[in-house]
Amino acid sequence: MKLQTADVPSPLPHRQFASDNYAGITPEAWQALARANSGHAPAYGDDAWTTVATDLVRQMFETDCEVFFTFNGTAANSLALASMCRPYHAVICHQSAHIQTDECGAPEFFSGGAKLILVDGRNGKVDIAEFEQACARRAGDVHFSQARVLSVTQATELGTVYSSNELAALSAVARRYQLKVHMDGARFANAVAALNVAPKDITWKTGVDVLSLGGTKLGMPVGDLVVFFDKNLALDFAHRRKQSGQLASKMRFLAAPWVGMLQGEAWLKHVRHANDLAKELSIVLSQIDGLQLLAPTEVNGVFIKMPKGVIQKLRDRGWIFYTFVGDDGVRLMCSWDTTREDVESLIMDVRQCMALTETN
Ligand SMILES: *Cc1c(COP(=O)(O)O)cnc(C)c1O
């Protein structure tokens, strides 16, 4: 079909489980954006929306912290890490970390050469013994990049969460080796809802120095934050952000969706919804013979092994999803706007495709 320039492109025929960034913008974020779109306001963050959003973030974490808006998570992560280490330092992270697998070398680039040191661990979480070994390995060796930062992803790339105890234990090791702690919180809100804790309990209270706080996957159009609990690390951040092209001139439009989502804790309602539906999907799918969960479903993503024939049949039926955990590991993400009917319709197709594959 040829799209005429006068046509408005249509959305996909139905909602998908490919990624939470396939979803649109939540009503709360959208309304705040519309309200911000009135009259003139100072540029580059000197506007009232940015001030209010920043205050709401401080209230959310119940502490004074430095808050910066960037356009996306890759920028938030790589600029955060760049401000935590020098070019001859190293960042220790899980081998499946987004900073390692999905950022095209941005952390190395923006830090001017910092090395990522990979460790393993079950369910996408950094194993503490491996982490400690990596801290100690070649410490002081002039020929090797010196470990300076631990970066953990909360929730992880396998849809699991670190408990506050696990985080505290990792931070204690980090402190012992003089490492700072960074958290990639692209789905931080989902983790807060899953753990039923206060945001402070899994950040500054358990040793996190800098947090990349995701807004996009939560249901905003654009705009992820860097939150510095260790304010010393934020010293040159304003220049770092500007130099990398991440300083929005019409900042109010990055800030307003945050105001809409943080006021009245709309964010919690939306992530609980997405987490709950993922749990339902996970329970039903894991009971089907021949399907096997790759990790417990703790937030809004189901990671499950499926026969390759079934994966193909689901794709033939129009389902879009990623299979980046091996070639038979399917990732199914729920979003703020996923409905129970969407979940049921996917389950029905999985059942039918399984039955068809068995008889062939
Ligand atoms: C989506 C995501 C990011 C940010 O990705 P961008 O596409 O740059 O916004 C960062 N970390 C994790 C774990 C993610 O899932």
Side-chain angles (χ1 to χ4, degrees), residues 21 72-75 77 98 103 153 157 184 186-187 216-217 224:
N21 58 24
N72 58 39
T74 299
N77 280 340
H98 195 273
E103 299 192 354
T153 309
E157 288 80 0
D184 175 353
R187 297 190 182 87
T216 314
K217 284 173 183 145
D224 287 5

Side-chain angles (χ1 to χ4, degrees), residues 46-256:
D46 293 331
D47 62 285
W49 286 93
T50 303
T51 305
V52 172
T54 302
D55 284 345
L56 285 167
V57 173
R58 292 186 180 129
Q59 280 173 33
M60 173 184 179
F61 288 98
E62 303 176 65
T63 189
D64 192 19
C65 47
E66 293 284 349
V67 179
F68 295 89
F69 292 79
T70 61
F71 290 105
N72 58 39
T74 299
N77 280 340
S78 51
L79 297 178
L81 292 170
S83 59
M84 300 173 81
C85 56
R86 296 260 167 93
Y88 46 85
H89 285 146
V91 176
I92 301 176
C93 63
H94 193 275
Q95 59 184 10
S96 65
H98 195 273
I99 56 170
Q100 158 69 7
T101 61
D102 287 297
E103 299 192 354
C104 199
E108 295 92 328
F109 177 76
F110 284 109
S111 64
K115 185 180 176 70
L116 299 188
I117 293 179
L118 309 180
V119 296
D120 205 353
R122 287 186 62 229
N123 295 333
K125 295 194 260 185
V126 169
D127 177 80
I128 192 160
E130 282 204 31
F131 168 51
E132 177 145 21
Q133 279 164 20
C135 291
R137 195 176 306 136
R138 302 184 69 177
D141 181 344
V142 73
H143 302 286
F144 196 69
S145 307
Q146 297 296 291
R148 190 53 179 272
V149 180
L150 165 67
S151 180
V152 290
T153 309
Q154 177 80 315
T156 72
E157 288 80 0
L158 267 183
T160 57
V161 290
Y162 290 91
S163 69
S164 53
N165 284 342
E166 287 173 318
L167 289 170
L170 285 167
S171 301
V173 174
R175 288 287 174 271
R176 204 159 350 112
Y177 289 89
Q178 272 125 45
L179 269 69
K180 300 279 180 193
V181 180
H182 166 255
M183 180 175 276
D184 175 353
R187 297 190 182 87
F188 179 79
N190 298 82
V192 169
L195 289 159
N196 200 20
V197 292
K200 66 180 172 186
D201 293 332
I202 50 170
T203 53
W204 59 272
K205 278 204 145 186
T206 39
V208 174
D209 299 297
V210 185
L211 168 71
S212 303
L213 180 57
T216 314
K217 284 173 183 145
L218 198 52
M220 302 187 200
V222 66
D224 287 5
L225 308 181
V226 183
V227 181
F228 287 91
F229 301 111
D230 180 345
K231 292 169 72 169
N232 292 325
L233 293 169
L235 214 55
D236 291 324
F237 196 82
H239 289 98
R240 204 182 284 287
R241 178 177 62 175
K242 175 67 188 181
Q243 188 179 48
S244 56
Q246 288 287 322
L247 174 63
S249 64
K250 293 191 181 177
M251 185 85 82
R252 61 175 147 150
F253 298 110
L254 266 63

